[in-house]
Amino acid sequence: MTTLTTPPTPTERATPPSGGRRPRLRLPARLRRVSLPYLLLLPALLLELVVHLVPMAVGIVMSFKELTQFFIRDWGAAPWTGLDNYRLSVDFDAPVGEALLHSFFVTVAFTVLSVGLCWLIGTAAAVFMQENFRGRGLLRAVFLVPYALPVYAAVITWSFMFQRDTGLINHVVHDQLGLTDSRPFWLIGDNSFIALLTVSVWKGWPFAFLIVMAGLQNIPRELYEAASIDGAGTWQQVRRITLPSLRPVNQVLVLVLFLWTFNDFNTPYVLFGKSAPEAADLISLHIYQSSFVTWNFGTGSAMSVLLLLFLLLVTAGYLLVTSRGSRDARRWRGRKAADV
C-alpha cells in the first residue's frame, strides 16, 4: 500500500519548531576567534583616536592656515596660506627659522647627554644591585623614588634648590665647599642648561635602572659562574655577558628615553616658566612660545608637524639599524654554533 505525503504549505514552512523558538544564528568558531582580539582592542583604539589622532589631524590643518589671535573665536575662518608657515619655519636666515634651529641644536645636545647619562647610571646601578647584600631591597626602593614622585612636585623642589641666594645647591657648592668665587645663577644664563640636564637625569635614570634590572633577571647565573671559573674579571663579564645579553632591552630603552626626553615639556616649563633661557631653550617649549605667547598658532602648528616628521624619521632609521644588527648577530651566532 502506497502512502502519499502532502507537501507542506508555505504557512507550515514558516512555522518555527518547538513552541515558536527560532534557531539562534551562531558565528563560525574561526570568525569568533579572529574578531575577539579586535573587539577587545576597540575601546583603546577609540580612546587613541579621540585623544591623539583627532588633535593631530586638527594641528596639521592649522599648520596650513594663517591662524593668529584675530581668528581665535572662529579659527575656521582663518585664510589658507599653503606652505608659507613651513617656509617661515625652515628659513634659517630669518629670525624665526634661526631661533628654531638654535632650539633644535640645544634639544639634540640635551637629549644625547640626558639619555646617555640616564642609561649609564641606570645600568651601573642595576649591575651593582645584582649582588646580594644587606639592605638591597631598601636601596632599590630609594633608587625608584625620583621616578615615583610627581613631575611637578619634583621639579618645583629643584627650582627652590637652584635659587641663587637661598638654594641648597649654592649653599653646598659655594658656602661649604668653596668651589666658586661667587654664588652662580642656575636658572638663567649658560648654567641653566646644566640645571635642566641635572633635573632630567635625576628623574630619568631610575626608569633605566628599573628596565635594565628586569632584563638582568633573564641572564642565567651559570654564565657568570663559568666565566669566573675561566678567570674572567668583573669588567670582562659585563662586557662579554651582560651587555650582549641586554642588547634587546637596551634597544627599546634607548628609543623610549630618546622620545621622552626630546619631547619633554613639563621639566623646562616648571623650571623656567613660559620663557626659557637661550641656553636651555628646548624645542617643545619653543613651540609653546611660538603658539601661546606670540599667538601665532599656524607657525607653531607647522613647527609641531616638522618635529613629528623628524621623530618619525629618526625612529624608523633607529629601528631599521637595530633590526639589521640583530639579524647579523643571529647569523653570526648560527655560524659559530655550526662551526662548533
Side-chain angles (χ1 to χ4, degrees):
M1 181 177 179
T2 304
T3 302
L4 298 177
T5 302
T6 305
T9 62
T11 306
E12 291 175 347
R13 292 195 194 101
T15 303
S18 63
R21 287 188 177 180
R22 293 180 179 274
R24 191 168 55 179
L25 296 177
R26 297 178 64 87
L27 294 174
R30 179 178 176 82
L31 182 59
R32 291 199 304 270
R33 288 197 305 268
V34 172
S35 61
L36 180 59
Y38 296 99
L39 291 177
L40 296 176
L41 287 174
L42 185 59
L45 293 176
L46 291 176
L47 288 176
E48 181 72 18
L49 178 67
V50 173
V51 175
H52 288 102
L53 298 182
V54 172
M56 187 183 303
V58 173
I60 293 174
V61 173
M62 290 170 57
S63 66
F64 295 102
K65 286 177 168 286
E66 190 180 353
L67 185 57
T68 60
Q69 67 268 30
F70 302 107
F71 300 98
I72 294 299
R73 296 187 61 182
D74 186 13
W75 69 272
W80 291 90
T81 60
L83 298 176
D84 288 347
N85 291 325
Y86 293 93
R87 296 191 187 97
L88 181 64
S89 301
V90 298
D91 185 6
F92 302 131
D93 294 329
V96 175
E98 184 180 0
L100 180 63
L101 184 62
H102 169 77
S103 178
F104 174 78
F105 286 142
V106 170
T107 307
V108 169
F110 166 75
T111 303
V112 171
L113 291 175
S114 178
V115 172
L117 290 174
C118 286
W119 178 85
L120 182 62
I121 298 174
T123 302
V127 172
F128 173 72
M129 284 295 166
Q130 290 301 107
E131 302 295 333
N132 291 322
F133 58 90
R134 181 175 296 180
R136 184 178 66 168
L138 178 61
L139 197 57
R140 282 179 176 177
V142 171
F143 282 175
L144 294 177
V145 167
Y147 182 68
L149 284 176
V151 175
Y152 284 88
V155 179
I156 288 174
T157 303
W158 274 101
S159 66
F160 282 111
M161 294 172 60
F162 278 122
Q163 294 297 319
R164 180 179 184 271
D165 297 324
T166 59
L168 178 63
I169 303 298
N170 279 341
H171 176 69
V172 174
V173 172
H174 177 71
D175 297 342
Q176 294 186 346
L177 300 179
L179 299 178
T180 57
D181 296 333
S182 61
R183 292 175 175 267
F185 290 95
W186 293 103
L187 299 180
I188 58 175
D190 294 337
N191 290 332
S192 58
F193 183 85
I194 301 176
L196 180 62
L197 182 63
T198 301
V199 177
S200 178
V201 172
W202 177 83
K203 71 182 184 66
W205 78 265
F207 176 75
F209 163 72
L210 184 64
I211 299 302
V212 174
M213 187 171 60
L216 288 174
Q217 306 303 318
N218 297 323
I219 303 177
R221 299 298 304 175
E222 291 79 5
L223 295 177
Y224 294 100
E225 294 174 359
S228 179
I229 293 175
D230 291 339
T234 303
W235 169 242
Q236 289 180 329
Q237 294 178 17
V238 170
R239 188 164 63 94
R240 298 293 184 180
I241 300 175
T242 305
L243 293 181
S245 301
L246 288 176
R247 183 172 182 175
V249 176
N250 285 329
Q251 289 175 357
V252 179
L253 174 62
V254 170
L255 180 60
V256 172
L257 286 176
F258 168 79
L259 294 176
W260 283 359
T261 307
F262 207 95
N263 288 317
D264 190 11
F265 172 79
N266 294 328
T267 302
Y269 182 80
V270 177
L271 198 61
F272 304 117
K274 296 181 180 180
S275 179
E278 186 177 1
D281 185 22
L282 297 186
I283 197 167
S284 58
L285 193 58
H286 185 85
I287 293 174
Y288 170 82
Q289 294 172 354
S290 301
S291 301
F292 294 95
V293 177
T294 62
W295 297 91
N296 198 336
F297 294 96
T299 305
S301 299
M303 294 178 181
S304 299
V305 174
L306 292 174
L307 175 61
L308 174 63
L309 294 176
F310 170 76
L311 293 178
L312 288 176
L313 289 175
V314 172
T315 302
Y318 177 82
L319 293 177
L320 181 62
V321 171
T322 53
S323 62
R324 182 179 300 173
S326 300
R327 288 195 300 268
D328 294 340
R330 285 194 297 267
R331 294 195 191 98
W332 182 82
R333 287 196 295 266
R335 289 196 298 268
K336 284 291 184 181
D339 294 337
V340 174

